[in-house]
Amino acid sequence: MDAPRGTALFDLSGRTALVTGSSQGIGRALAQGLAEAGATVVVHGRDAAKAERAAAEIAESTGRETHVALFDVTDAAAVDAGIADVEARLGTPDILVNNAGIQRRNPIADFTDEDWHDLVATNLTSAFLLSRRVARGMIARGSGRIVSIGSVQSQLARPSIAPYSATKGAIVMLTKGLCADLAPHGISVNALAPGYFATELTQPLVDDPAFSAWVAGRTPAGRWGRVDDLVGTLVFLSSDASAFVHGQTIFVDGGMTAVV
C-alpha cells in the first residue's frame, strides 16, 4: 500500500489517543481536536462526572468513539493499572499526550515543600510514568507517538513560578532523552510548548487588565492564545506528517520566545 500523501498524512483514523487531564481546559481542546482528525480518544481525569461529560460531548460533536480513563497520574501503581485497563479495551494507545499539569505561585523564599513536590509529581513525574508504561506496548508494536505539553516557561522565567519553570524545563530534556531511547523503535517523542492561553485556570489573569495588556504587548501576535490554536500542531505531531520529527519542542506562543 502506498504511503499517505497530502492531507492524508494528517488523518488519525484507526488510531487511539490517550490525553491526560483532558476533562477541561487545554486537554479538553486537544482531545476534541484529535477526535476531529479521526482518532478514538480516551478522555482522562480523576473526576468521573467531568471526564464522562467531556467524552460524551466529544462523541456527540465528532461522531467518533470515545472512552474514559480514571487514575492518578502521579502514582506508579495507579498508572500501571490505568494503562492496563485501557489496553484491555483498546490495545496500547497509538498516541499519548502528557497534558496533566498544575501551577503554584509564591516567591521562592516562601515556596513550600508541599507545593514543590506537587508540581514535580504532576508536571514531570506523571510524564515519566505514563511514557514508561505506554512505551512498553509501543516498543512491542514498533510504532507510537508521545507528545508532552511544555510551556514558554521552559525558556522564559517570571517571578513566583521558579519551580513550575523547572518542571517545564525538565519536560524539554525528558523529551530529548525519550527520543534517544524510543526513536529506534519507531516511536516519535516531541513536546508542544504553549505560550499564554486563555483557559478556565487562567481566567483570573485574562480578566486582569494590566496583565492582559502585558501579554498583548509581550506577544508579537498581540493576544492571548486560544486553545484551538494548539490543535493543528498536536495533530501534526501525532500523525504521519511528523514521521521524521523526533525530540523537538515546538513553541505555540504567538512569537513570545522569538523576541526580546
Side-chain angles (χ1 to χ4, degrees), residues 10-13 16 20 29 101 114 117-118 140 143 151 167 171 184 256 258:
F10 299 89
D11 184 10
L12 300 180
S13 298
T16 58
T20 64
E114 181 180 9
H117 291 303
D118 284 348
S143 66
S151 170
T167 65
I171 285 292
M256 178 175 277

Side-chain angles (χ1 to χ4, degrees), residues 66-224:
T66 61
H67 295 261
V68 170
L70 305 170
F71 57 86
D72 181 354
V73 295
T74 71
D75 180 87
V79 168
D80 285 348
I83 297 302
D85 173 64
V86 171
E87 288 177 333
R89 289 183 280 162
L90 300 165
T92 297
D94 299 285
I95 302 157
L96 168 65
V97 183
N98 290 312
N99 168 75
I102 60 172
Q103 176 64 287
R104 297 284 189 269
R105 293 182 174 87
N106 239 333
I108 194 63
D110 301 322
F111 220 93
T112 67
D113 291 353
E114 181 180 9
D115 281 347
W116 165 263
H117 291 303
D118 284 348
L119 279 164
V120 171
T122 305
N123 295 357
L124 180 59
T125 300
S126 69
F128 163 71
L129 294 175
L130 266 295
S131 298
R132 179 181 66 178
R133 180 60 178 78
V134 172
R136 293 167 184 160
M138 289 182 171
I139 290 170
R141 188 179 55 214
S143 66
R145 298 283 189 271
I146 297 175
V147 182
S148 296
I149 304 303
S151 170
V152 292
Q153 262 77 50
S154 66
Q155 299 294 314
L156 304 174
R158 279 183 58 79
S160 81
I161 59 168
Y164 177 85
S165 297
T167 65
K168 292 303 183 178
I171 285 292
V172 173
M173 288 311 302
L174 178 63
T175 297
K176 292 176 183 284
L178 291 173
C179 163
D181 278 343
L182 297 178
H185 299 282
I187 302 162
S188 70
V189 185
N190 295 287
L192 189 166
Y196 282 83
F197 274 72
T199 69
E200 296 99 320
L201 296 178
T202 61
Q203 194 59 47
L205 296 176
V206 175
D207 293 338
D208 181 334
F211 194 85
S212 279
W214 177 84
V215 168
R218 182 65 180 78
T219 305
R223 63 171 174 85
W224 285 84

